[in-house]
């Protein structure tokens, strides 16, 4: 487990971050309401070619949990604060789910800080995005916590993934998040809209998506690839939202090959 350190964001909020491995820095950004544990068992695949940097979003993990509005753009600013603290001028960035939304702002607003960009199972947000269907929203909003959890597992993994696999829990949300932080994360992700700034991304970009993803429909992947100059698109068959875990060998190879170019 990587050691956690803290830096202060511009507003004084504590931001926990973890760095592990050696080599060129690679920032790994997790999904909504998750902390750095999202990347457990995957980040190691990038060592030692890269040193991996993870950040606990405000509201999660070891970071502060203020009860105030959060945004994907604000999370990107927090990532910049961490990079400044670590003395990292430029890094590769790999964001999945809401982390991909954060990564869009990071690459568009701070182009000099991002060498190569990978956007996984994510969306441009706003009116141009393809939203999940009503059945998915109802399944996740069930009052029975067990039923809602099972619905999320089925959205993350295909049936071939064993439910008892301990890695399942790491992508189902930070269990220690206070209720207000969960609500703030949900709003931040739902209100994301980076459509207008996507053409400003200059970093070579790879867009990855599971073909069976219903949590973030795969129709969003070509939207991103067409909107970001010279971006590449790769869809992974027989994969849902957590493709980076269930299809770990093939997905990791795609990312490593892209970053090594």
């Amino acid at each position: 487990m990587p050691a956690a350190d803290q830096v202060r964001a511009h507003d004084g909020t504590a931001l926990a971050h973890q760095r592990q491995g050696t080599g060129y820095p690679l920032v790994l950004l997790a999904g909504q309401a998750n902390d750095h544990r999202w990347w457990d068992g995957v980040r190691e695949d990038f060592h030692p070619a890269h040193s991996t940097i993870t950040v606990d979003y405000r509201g999660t993990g070891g970071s502060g949990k203020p009860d105030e509005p959060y945004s994907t753009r604000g999370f990107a600013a927090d990532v910049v604060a961490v990079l400044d603290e670590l003395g990292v001028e430029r890094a590769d960035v790999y964001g999945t789910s809401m982390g991909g939304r954060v990564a869009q702002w990071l690459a568009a607003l701070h182009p000099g800080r991002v060498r190569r960009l990978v956007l996984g199972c994510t969306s441009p947000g706003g009116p141009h995005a393809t939203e999940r269907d009503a059945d998915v929203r109802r399944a996740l909003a069930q009052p029975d916590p067990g039923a809602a959890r099972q619905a999320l597992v089925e959205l993350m993994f295909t049936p071939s993934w064993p439910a008892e696999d301990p890695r399942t829990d790491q992508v189902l949300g930070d269990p220690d998040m206070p209720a207000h932080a969960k609500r703030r994360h949900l709003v931040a992700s739902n209100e994301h809209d980076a459509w207008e700034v996507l053409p400003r991304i200059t970093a070579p970009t790879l867009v990855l998506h599971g073909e069976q993803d219903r949590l973030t429909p795969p129709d969003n992947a070509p939207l991103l690839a067409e909107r970001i100059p010279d971006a590449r698109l790769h869809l992974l068959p027989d994969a849902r939202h957590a493709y980076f875990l269930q299809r770990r060998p093939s997905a990791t190879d795609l990312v490593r090959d892209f970053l090594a170019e």
Side-chain angles (χ1 to χ4, degrees), residues 10 71-81 83-84 89-90 93 100-115 117 119 192-203 205 228-229:
H10 63 88
S71 70
T72 51
R73 186 169 181 168
F75 290 144
D78 289 345
V79 174
V80 172
L83 294 179
D84 288 345
E89 290 297 322
R90 205 160 184 239
V93 177
R101 300 179 182 209
V102 176
Q104 293 164 37
W105 287 116
L106 185 60
L109 301 183
H110 306 276
R113 308 301 293 267
V114 180
R115 188 187 73 115
L117 175 67
L119 301 175
H192 172 77
D193 183 0
W195 186 259
E196 293 302 322
V197 301
L198 292 177
R200 293 164 54 181
I201 294 176
T202 58
T205 302
I228 299 171

Side-chain angles (χ1 to χ4, degrees), residues 133-201:
D133 62 40
D135 288 344
V136 171
R137 291 194 295 270
R138 283 193 293 269
L140 293 174
Q142 295 178 81
D144 180 350
R149 180 191 184 279
Q150 182 57 36
L152 183 55
V153 170
E154 292 173 2
L155 290 165
M156 286 286 183
F157 304 100
T158 68
S160 62
W161 182 264
E164 67 275 10
D165 191 305
R167 291 171 295 173
T168 299
D169 287 343
Q170 74 190 53
V171 294
L172 301 184
D174 176 1
D176 298 320
M177 280 183 79
H180 74 263
K182 292 180 181 178
R183 291 193 298 270
R184 298 293 191 183
H185 267 246
L186 178 61
V187 172
S189 190
N190 286 345
E191 292 186 348
H192 172 77
D193 183 0
W195 186 259
E196 293 302 322
V197 301
L198 292 177
R200 293 164 54 181
I201 294 176

Side-chain angles (χ1 to χ4, degrees), residues 23-252:
Y24 195 83
L26 169 63
V27 178
L28 298 171
L29 298 173
Q32 174 192 318
N34 284 270
D35 61 13
H36 67 277
R37 289 171 291 186
W38 176 276
W39 292 104
D40 286 355
V42 176
R43 69 186 303 160
E44 294 84 356
D45 292 341
F46 296 103
H47 306 151
H50 288 79
S51 60
T52 55
I53 300 167
T54 47
V55 180
D56 290 350
Y57 298 119
R58 57 181 64 211
T60 72
S63 292
K65 300 168 179 63
D67 189 3
E68 59 190 30
Y70 301 164
S71 70
T72 51
R73 186 169 181 168
F75 290 144
D78 289 345
V79 174
V80 172
V82 169
L83 294 179
D84 288 345
E85 170 71 13
L86 294 175
V88 174
E89 290 297 322
R90 205 160 184 239
D92 293 332
V93 177
Y94 181 10
T96 48
S97 197
M98 190 187 77
R101 300 179 182 209
V102 176
Q104 293 164 37
W105 287 116
L106 185 60
L109 301 183
H110 306 276
R113 308 301 293 267
V114 180
R115 188 187 73 115
R116 284 182 170 263
L117 175 67
V118 183
L119 301 175
C121 56
T122 192
S123 158
H128 296 281
T130 299
E131 295 299 324
R132 65 192 62 151
D133 62 40
D135 288 344
V136 171
R137 291 194 295 270
R138 283 193 293 269
L140 293 174
Q142 295 178 81
D144 180 350
R149 180 191 184 279
Q150 182 57 36
L152 183 55
V153 170
E154 292 173 2
L155 290 165
M156 286 286 183
F157 304 100
T158 68
S160 62
W161 182 264
E164 67 275 10
D165 191 305
R167 291 171 295 173
T168 299
D169 287 343
Q170 74 190 53
V171 294
L172 301 184
D174 176 1
D176 298 320
M177 280 183 79
H180 74 263
K182 292 180 181 178
R183 291 193 298 270
R184 298 293 191 183
H185 267 246
L186 178 61
V187 172
S189 190
N190 286 345
E191 292 186 348
H192 172 77
D193 183 0
W195 186 259
E196 293 302 322
V197 301
L198 292 177
R200 293 164 54 181
I201 294 176
T202 58
T205 302
L206 173 65
V207 178
L208 295 176
H209 218 109
E211 287 185 340
Q212 296 185 22
D213 191 346
R214 295 183 64 208
L215 193 59
T216 301
D219 286 351
N220 288 290
L223 293 176
L224 288 167
E226 292 165 8
R227 188 72 173 163
I228 299 171
D230 301 318
R232 305 179 202 174
L233 170 63
H234 190 98
L235 298 177
L236 292 101
D238 195 28
R240 296 184 181 175
H241 200 64
Y243 74 85
F244 52 93
L245 278 175
Q246 188 164 8
R247 299 289 174 259
R248 174 182 168 186
S250 55
T252 298

